[in-house]
Amino acid sequence: MNNPNRPIGVFDSGVGGLTVLKTLQAQFPNEDFIYLADHAYCPYGIKSASQVAHRVSEVGQQMIERGVKFIIIACNTATANAAELMKTSPVPVIGVIEPTAKKAFEVSKDKKIALLATDLTVKMGSYQHLLRDATVHALGCSVFVPLAEGIDRDSSDTAAKVANHLQSLKEFEFDTIIYGCTHFGLLDQAIQKALPGKIVVECGEPTASAVAEILTCSKLSQEMQTLGTTTLYTTGSPKVFKDQITWYKGSFLGPYQW
Ligand code: DGL
């Protein structure tokens, strides 16, 4: 029997999923979270679909063994390759793509949307399929992932690299941009400077709404009314992880070695 008082497991290849975790912590303050940054396998977005699918199943299994009641895949690339985990997991698993695509379709007035995602997410085509009634300009932006993982995210050099990569989108018309990689919220300033005046859709808020529905329907909401805890883990170096997330203001324990 799944126990509502167990923690929720959240994972990403690195720091990007913290943009989702932040929203989850704010919306579900009584829940306990364990967050895994899978740095040993980061980046996911330039690997093959089978490599990522294998790793997603492994991480999911490890989370289940640690007793989570629910798995949130705070990574688009992992979500696009999670069919096996979703099929076999004894606890509910939710990814970020469906809620985010749905939200983008709702908010776009022209139904013309730019998708910024990792090369593998673009290749998998999940967003393009879900948004088949809109015009989607998809751009593989795996080059942004090391910039978001780095500590000089806010430098002019990073802004110039981002602007240069987004140049090719300038010839298209669109009113909405999807950050189809959870790392890209960390480059928000640089992206919005390069592509000003657009509606931006990130994964955190739409995913949190979908999580709320599942927690209620499956009677898995935390019963304790006390403030929950969040514990961060990495498959890489906890020291490096700590230095990478000085911007992360949410309260948490760790980071610890997974
Ligand atoms: N944050 C991940 C996503 O949302 C991808 C980063 C990576 O390439 O590892 O797709």
Side-chain angles (χ1 to χ4, degrees):
M1 236 309 254
N2 209 344
N3 178 344
N5 299 328
R6 289 193 200 152
I8 296 176
V10 183
F11 76 93
D12 177 41
S13 61
V15 300
L18 293 174
T19 59
V20 176
L21 181 67
K22 243 171 130 166
T23 316
L24 296 169
Q25 279 183 304
Q27 189 155 335
F28 311 105
N30 303 329
E31 296 290 346
D32 293 325
F33 293 98
I34 62 175
Y35 178 90
L36 175 66
D38 192 15
H39 280 123
Y41 289 81
C42 186
Y44 287 169
I46 53 172
K47 295 188 168 60
S48 71
S50 63
Q51 279 173 318
V52 176
H54 182 74
R55 184 60 189 157
V56 167
S57 291
E58 240 169 30
V59 169
Q61 191 49 44
Q62 290 169 11
M63 291 225 151
I64 292 158
E65 280 161 21
R66 283 178 188 238
V68 300
K69 64 177 176 186
F70 188 1
I71 297 174
I72 300 172
I73 307 178
C75 172
N76 293 266
T77 317
T79 301
N81 292 285
E84 184 62 27
L85 174 63
M86 290 185 175
K87 205 167 68 195
T88 55
S89 172
V91 302
V93 180
I94 185 176
V96 286
I97 293 182
E98 252 186 71
T100 308
K102 200 168 150 216
K103 176 81 183 182
F105 192 77
E106 267 164 33
V107 299
S108 173
K109 293 185 187 76
D110 303 345
K111 309 299 173 208
K112 290 182 182 154
I113 298 170
L115 168 67
L116 312 184
T118 65
D119 299 358
L120 183 55
T121 300
V122 169
K123 194 169 151 201
M124 296 306 292
S126 319
Y127 273 106
Q128 296 92 320
H129 176 70
L130 290 164
L131 292 166
R132 57 195 175 280
D133 294 330
T135 304
V136 178
H137 304 290
L139 181 66
C141 296
S142 276
V143 289
F144 292 174
V145 175
L147 301 176
E149 285 280 324
I151 49 171
D152 58 349
R153 267 189 328 272
D154 300 326
S155 69
S156 53
D157 189 44
T158 297
K161 285 180 182 150
V162 167
N164 188 38
H165 190 75
L166 295 176
Q167 195 61 32
S168 64
L169 279 176
K170 295 236 160 118
E171 63 178 285
F172 299 112
E173 273 179 29
F174 53 90
D175 66 355
T176 300
I177 306 175
I178 299 176
Y179 291 175
C181 169
T182 53
H183 279 74
F184 298 171
L186 301 173
L187 300 172
D188 184 51
Q189 265 188 352
I191 297 172
Q192 294 219 40
K193 195 166 163 214
L195 300 171
K198 310 291 183 189
I199 302 164
V200 170
V201 178
E202 290 197 52
C203 300
E205 190 253 316
T207 304
S209 303
V211 167
E213 256 179 59
I214 299 177
L215 283 176
T216 311
C217 291
S218 50
K219 299 198 175 16
L220 279 177
S221 293
Q222 172 66 249
E223 289 160 340
M224 313 279 185
Q225 291 307 309
T226 48
L227 207 60
T229 60
T230 293
T231 313
L232 306 186
Y233 293 92
T234 175
T235 51
S237 152
K239 159 131 187 31
V240 173
F241 188 22
K242 194 166 175 212
D243 292 343
Q244 280 176 304
I245 56 166
T246 48
W247 55 269
Y248 182 67
K249 303 289 182 233
S251 71
F252 59 85
L253 306 168
Y256 301 114
Q257 181 65 47
W258 182 245

